Each structure stands twice: as structure tokens, then as C-alpha cells.
Amino acid sequence: MSKSIHPRECSIADALDLVGERWTLLAVRELSHGVRRFDQIVRNTGASRDILTARLRKLEAAGAVRREQYNAHPPRYEYHLTLAGQELGDVLLTLMKWGDRHLNPEDPPVTWQHSCGETLDPVVICAHCGEPARKGAHSPTGRGALTAD
């Protein structure tokens, strides 16, 4: 008798179904930097045209990106992040911080200056108490929470 497998329900898994591939996140990075045209996104990411097309279509279908036509003959489009896509920028900043700390500690390739004038140091905090959202400071609840099976 085989035991059926029931993966844990999780918004992380759901989000990774959309953005958990290198070219998708690099396309979002470019759009976050204000790069709008397909050829520029291809150049800056290194993605093949067919893969990038598929990733942008998936982001568009999910409501994270919208296309705007800028040329009729031939039809050409610019890509823009929606609010949902812009919120992925926070994810990219924390991913960049992790990469800077663990992969490029001596020489981060890019740093950001915050509007306060200091180098941006993104931190994930609880919106209610302002404390860091680190392991041990929170516990899972809901239908995807840990079970003792």
C-alpha cells in the first residue's frame, strides 16, 4: 500500500510557480530599473528571446506586468510593472542583500542609495511591532502550517 503525497499548501510555493525561475526575476529586475523594451530586457538579462517571451506572458497573465503598444507597424510593446509586479521589487532587494552578504561580500556589484542619503539596507520587519521577521520571532498558522504527522 503506497502512501499518497500531499505537499504543504504554501504561498511561497504558489509564488515560485510564477517567479521561481532565473529569467522571470531578472526580467522583473530590469523592469524595476525602468527598462521597458523587449530587446533591452533580452540584452540585460541574457535570456533567449523565446524564453523571455514566455516569462513575460506568464507575468502578464498573472497581473504582475502589463504591455503597452508603442508602435503600430510593426506592432511593438513596452512592458510595465503593475502594483503586484512592483511589490516583487522588495523580494529582489532582500535577495540582493543575501547575495551581497553570502556570494559577493568583498565587492557587491550594485548598491542602492536610499532617499535618506544612506546606502539602502533592506530589512524585513513586522508591520505591527517593527521588529525583524527572523526565524524564532514568528510561528506558522493556517492550513499550510506544520503538522506533527
Side-chain angles (χ1 to χ4, degrees), residues 64-141:
V65 167
R66 75 178 192 293
R67 285 188 312 159
E68 291 182 9
Q69 190 169 6
Y70 70 87
N71 192 31
H73 300 291
R76 297 276 188 251
Y77 297 89
E78 288 185 334
Y79 295 87
H80 298 267
L81 293 172
T82 63
L83 180 58
Q86 291 170 18
E87 289 177 357
L88 284 169
D90 295 340
V91 175
L92 292 178
L93 287 172
T94 55
L95 187 60
M96 181 186 74
K97 179 179 178 175
W98 184 90
D100 289 349
R101 182 179 307 132
H102 298 286
L103 304 175
N104 296 297
E106 301 302 318
D107 186 25
V110 176
T111 58
W112 290 89
Q113 186 175 11
H114 191 268
S115 59
C116 71
E118 296 297 320
T119 300
L120 178 65
D121 182 18
V123 178
V124 179
I125 61 166
C126 175
H128 296 283
C129 70
E131 292 295 315
R134 297 252 181 210
K135 185 176 180 181
H138 56 277
S139 56
T141 61

Side-chain angles (χ1 to χ4, degrees), residues 36-71:
R36 305 276 182 252
R37 305 258 169 111
F38 183 81
D39 288 340
Q40 294 170 323
I41 299 169
V42 167
R43 182 186 69 233
N44 293 351
T45 62
S48 68
R49 297 176 73 79
D50 58 330
I51 288 175
L52 185 60
T53 296
R55 299 311 180 263
L56 287 169
R57 285 183 181 157
K58 192 172 180 181
L59 286 167
E60 185 179 12
V65 167
R66 75 178 192 293
R67 285 188 312 159
E68 291 182 9
Q69 190 169 6
Y70 70 87
N71 192 31

